[in-house]
Amino acid sequence: MTNANPESTDTHLISNFLRDLIAEDVRTKKYGDAQIQTRFPPEPNGYLHIGHAKAICLDFGLADEFGGKTNLRFDDTNPSKEETEYVDSIQKDVRWLGFDWERLCYASDYFGQLYEWALKLIKDGKAYVDDLTADEIRQYRGTLTEPGKDSPFRNRSVEENLDLFVRMKQGEFPDGSRVLRAKIDMASPNLNMRDPVMYRILHATHHRTGDTWCIYPMYDFAHGQSDSIEHVTHSMCTLEFTDHQPLYRWFIEQLGIFPSEQIEFDRLNLTYTMMSKRKLLQLVKENHVNAWDDPRMPTLSGFRRRGFTPEAIRAFVTQAGVSRTNGSTDVEMLEHFQRDDLNHRASRAMAVLHPLKLVIDNYPAGQEELVEVANNPEDPSAGTRQVPFSGEIYIEQDDFREIPPPKYYRLSPGKEVRLRNAYFVTARSVVKDSAGNITEVHCTYDPASRGGNSPDGRKVKSTMHWVSAAHAISAEIRLYDKLFLKPDPYDFPEGEDVLSNLNPNSLEILAAAKLEPSLANAKLGDRFQFERVGYFCVDPDSAPGKIVFNRTLPLKDSWAKIEKKAGI
Ligand code: ATP
Ligand code: MG
């Protein structure tokens, strides 16, 4: 588990082996006077998720620290899964997180160069065309404990290989009939070195190159060379690529091109969160969520719509740190950083999510008044606002109990409480419908307690939020809970899958919440703390006269408890 101290979010204060390594290369002038160059290389086959935020912060953040530059490079070598929608969303999300790239690159821009390099390897006797089927290739490959077997096509002549590869490119052969493979070592202990496939035939339209190509390089034949072409000095990636590093180096050495250095770090995993783009796409396609930017999704667009801020995400990612072993971080830690950020920046407002009418019997009929309320007690410069008060108001259903349980300090018959910044009220009686549900609570108020304090020094144990009934606006409120029921969504019984752990109650819609009237002016991007309830933001589904709020987070912060339990 990673340490979390929200106060020390300055990136320079947190040690990080990637930074130490780059600092050492700068000190020894490993790359001469060349600038530090990094890249963020997403495959445009889905929206970015919170795990990508970690890679982005490292790629851009570390280059920045050392006066270097970062490219955004789309690893678009697989035409069948990639779409322009993803290319656009990825750029938007990187910018939203607060970063900008030096150059926008595409692996597909290098298809011509990669093809030339493939020809060179064939001519050097380092690559061959193989006619085995995909299944046969897999069988011939061997296992971790058994060496592989040479393909019967491994010793084709250079001429034959050149002829076949050129004809593959010209579209003479059907999909899957042949591949180009590197000729390395079928007995290598590293399976990636057992004559990996470099090119496959795929008669598919590419989102950028259209129908120019019908052979496409494999990721492993494109990635290292793309780094090299862009003179990437430090190619940071996640640990699953460690075993691919020898292959990337092999290609670079055979081709005699710029040697980028690959450094691996751990993936960010969060409890209750699934981060595979392939599985997230399934959630969208099968309508388990509404869209990629559904506020329950762990995508950056989902977090944005939910009201999370780039500042909090960056602070969290930095504090979660980097290591060389994969682990899992409590999602509550991310939420803690977000609350901390919103506590400072969100304006306060009063909103009643589950309204119960409170009638003040001794309040003069027809009277109304304005009470002054601080916009943010954490930030006096945020000023105050006037909120209308009258003889009929809404309070939360939970703030009244006809028969109070022990230690219930909120309103109940005969009990006096404070209505925030307004008056003391004492409950007197209830009105019920024919089913016995309470529809109204009647109370009396103490006119001398205006502002929320009684001149005789009388104390009350509870302060409640409220909204004047005549002035309230109605709003739809969307409450989100965790998308998965288990800390590890992949912990499912045999025969089932991750979907069996979906939380059926991850979204609750309240159609008739009552809000103080100032919220009628709330705009997209505005963030609020609804007093005693949580943090909320305006959802893009809002329309004139129909405002929709998303709950970013409830107020209660469980991270402090987790920290205490863990003895951090
Ligand atoms: P996924 O498996 O979630 O679909 P991916 O690794 O296939 O992700 P890419 O588009 O290839 O996604 O990722 C771009 C970069 O982001 C890569 O360098 C990858 O290592 C990094 N990355 C992806 N997921 C994470 C994560 N959970 N934590 C940190 N870095 C990540
Ligand atoms: Mg990938």
Side-chain angles (χ1 to χ4, degrees):
M1 187 44 50
T2 34
N3 181 22
N5 170 6
E7 264 60 64
S8 63
T9 52
D10 182 341
T11 51
H12 299 263
L13 299 177
I14 298 161
S15 86
N16 163 332
F17 71 89
L18 296 168
R19 175 185 299 116
D20 297 345
L21 217 138
I22 297 174
E24 182 63 9
D25 288 348
V26 168
R27 196 185 64 77
T28 61
K29 287 194 173 257
K30 180 168 172 188
Y31 296 95
D33 290 326
Q35 68 177 15
I36 295 300
Q37 178 73 53
T38 64
R39 86 292 170 260
F40 171 62
E43 186 184 346
N45 61 348
Y47 281 58
L48 295 181
H49 52 58
I50 183 87
H52 290 112
K54 172 171 177 170
I56 294 170
C57 288
L58 289 169
D59 291 329
F60 285 88
L62 287 175
D64 260 3
E65 265 185 51
F66 291 95
K69 293 286 194 304
T70 306
N71 294 339
L72 173 60
R73 183 205 313 142
F74 289 104
D75 253 314
D76 55 351
T77 49
N78 185 358
S80 51
K81 287 198 204 150
E82 294 158 3
E83 285 178 28
T84 318
E85 177 194 351
Y86 302 139
V87 168
D88 295 341
S89 74
I90 288 169
Q91 295 183 53
K92 183 173 173 187
D93 290 348
V94 171
R95 287 217 172 88
W96 177 73
L97 254 195
F99 298 104
D100 207 350
W101 43 92
E102 182 188 33
R103 281 189 293 148
L104 186 63
C105 306
Y106 294 84
S108 56
D109 288 344
Y110 311 139
F111 281 173
Q113 175 68 77
L114 292 169
Y115 177 72
E116 293 300 321
W117 280 335
L119 291 175
K120 175 178 161 48
L121 291 180
I122 295 174
K123 286 178 194 154
D124 292 346
K126 301 279 171 52
Y128 62 97
V129 173
D130 197 349
D131 300 357
L132 292 183
T133 64
D135 271 348
E136 287 165 338
I137 289 180
R138 212 168 300 123
Q139 283 163 21
Y140 274 66
R141 207 160 157 236
T143 63
L144 282 173
T145 49
E146 284 168 43
K149 266 195 316 193
D150 285 3
S151 160
F153 303 98
R154 194 172 200 262
N155 291 317
R156 277 180 161 149
S157 69
V158 168
E159 289 68 34
E160 191 184 358
N161 281 321
L162 275 178
D163 173 65
L164 286 171
F165 186 54
V166 170
R167 286 165 60 199
M168 277 168 65
K169 173 179 181 267
Q170 286 166 347
E172 281 190 32
F173 310 121
D175 288 2
S177 56
R178 297 197 150 92
V179 292
L180 182 72
R181 299 178 72 175
K183 195 169 181 176
I184 309 181
D185 178 6
M186 287 307 292
S188 171
N190 182 342
L191 268 70
N192 295 297
M193 300 298 273
R194 293 186 188 171
D195 291 11
V197 173
M198 293 162 56
Y199 268 93
R200 68 223 146 113
I201 303 174
L202 206 61
H203 291 265
T205 304
H206 186 276
H207 76 117
R208 296 192 81 238
T209 58
D211 293 323
T212 307
W213 298 89
C214 63
I215 53 170
Y216 289 94
M218 302 300 289
Y219 181 83
D220 279 353
F221 186 64
H223 190 78
Q225 290 98 299
S226 301
D227 282 344
S228 183
I229 290 170
E230 294 169 21
H231 279 220
V232 167
T233 54
H234 298 83
S235 173
M236 289 171 274
C237 63
T238 35
L239 288 169
E240 70 272 21
F241 292 103
T242 308
D243 290 344
H244 297 243
Q245 180 168 166
L247 175 59
Y248 299 164
R249 245 189 282 125
W250 188 86
F251 284 131
I252 282 175
E253 279 162 18
Q254 302 307 314
L255 297 169
I257 55 179
F258 182 85
S260 305
E261 181 180 358
Q262 175 170 310
I263 325 165
E264 302 89 7
F265 61 89
D266 60 322
R267 286 178 89 84
L268 174 70
N269 293 307
L270 284 181
T271 54
Y272 297 96
T273 310
M274 176 184 80
M275 281 197 238
S276 144
K277 279 183 286 185
R278 193 174 55 79
K279 297 298 282 180
L280 294 174
L281 174 64
Q282 188 189 357
L283 294 183
V284 176
K285 283 220 160 127
E286 296 178 2
N287 297 315
H288 300 291
V289 295
N290 295 320
W292 279 99
D293 72 344
D294 187 305
R296 292 167 290 177
M297 287 282 271
T299 51
L300 294 180
S301 52
F303 279 115
R304 176 168 61 235
R305 185 163 180 178
R306 172 110 169 225
F308 276 62
T309 61
E311 291 82 359
I313 292 177
R314 290 199 308 260
F316 161 72
V317 159
T318 302
Q319 191 67 44
V322 281
S323 88
R324 299 272 316 167
T325 45
N326 281 322
S328 172
T329 303
D330 284 319
V331 70
E332 287 84 358
M333 178 176 159
L334 168 63
E335 294 173 352
H336 172 78
F337 274 81
Q338 189 54 72
R339 284 193 186 89
D340 196 50
D341 180 51
L342 287 173
N343 186 32
H344 292 106
R345 69 161 85 197
S347 306
R348 272 48 173 179
M350 290 198 283
V352 175
L353 302 199
H354 300 94
L356 171 64
K357 178 88 64 83
L358 181 70
V359 181
I360 307 170
D361 290 332
N362 61 337
Y363 194 84
Q367 181 173 307
E368 56 182 65
E369 61 189 294
L370 293 170
V371 301
E372 187 171 24
V373 180
N375 284 331
N376 186 349
E378 296 281 316
D379 175 12
S381 72
T384 61
R385 68 187 186 287
Q386 303 286 325
V387 180
F389 184 87
S390 65
E392 285 199 6
I393 60 177
Y394 290 113
I395 60 170
E396 296 285 353
Q397 288 167 13
D398 264 358
D399 282 342
F400 178 81
R401 284 285 176 276
E402 190 176 15
I403 301 163
K407 296 198 179 153
Y408 185 86
Y409 297 123
R410 289 171 275 169
L411 202 57
S412 58
K415 189 85 73 58
E416 186 171 50
V417 301
R418 174 188 296 110
L419 297 175
R420 184 185 290 289
N421 295 83
Y423 292 100
F424 284 8
V425 291
T426 305
R428 301 295 175 193
S429 61
V430 298
V431 177
K432 293 183 182 177
D433 62 15
S434 54
N437 301 309
I438 298 173
T439 53
E440 272 178 18
V441 174
H442 285 250
C443 68
T444 54
Y445 83 123
D446 174 3
S449 63
R450 190 173 200 281
N453 284 300
S454 161
D456 64 10
R458 214 160 72 237
K459 296 267 184 285
V460 290
K461 282 200 167 150
S462 186
T463 299
M464 295 170 10
H465 62 280
W466 50 272
V467 175
S468 166
H471 303 90
I473 59 163
S474 291
E476 176 178 318
I477 303 234
R478 298 177 183 168
L479 303 177
Y480 302 100
D481 199 351
K482 294 183 167 79
L483 187 54
F484 288 96
L485 293 165
K486 289 191 181 168
D488 176 6
Y490 292 97
D491 172 18
F492 47 78
E494 222 182 296
E496 296 197 23
D497 86 340
V498 73
L499 297 180
S500 59
N501 285 330
L502 276 174
N503 177 3
N505 303 313
S506 57
L507 169 61
E508 184 187 354
I509 296 179
L510 306 177
K514 298 291 182 186
L515 278 48
E516 67 168 75
S518 70
L519 289 168
N521 304 320
K523 298 179 306 299
L524 194 61
D526 286 351
R527 299 181 170 92
F528 300 91
Q529 184 194 102
F530 290 171
E531 301 219 23
R532 298 176 65 229
V533 178
Y535 294 103
F536 291 78
C537 70
V538 178
D539 187 83
D541 283 348
S542 300
K546 180 203 176 238
I547 193 158
V548 179
F549 282 94
N550 292 321
R551 183 173 69 190
T552 309
L553 288 168
L555 280 186
K556 198 172 133 254
D557 188 341
S558 40
W559 174 247
K561 234 192 263 164
I562 293 173
E563 246 188 336
K564 205 167 153 203
K565 211 166 96 194
I568 296 171

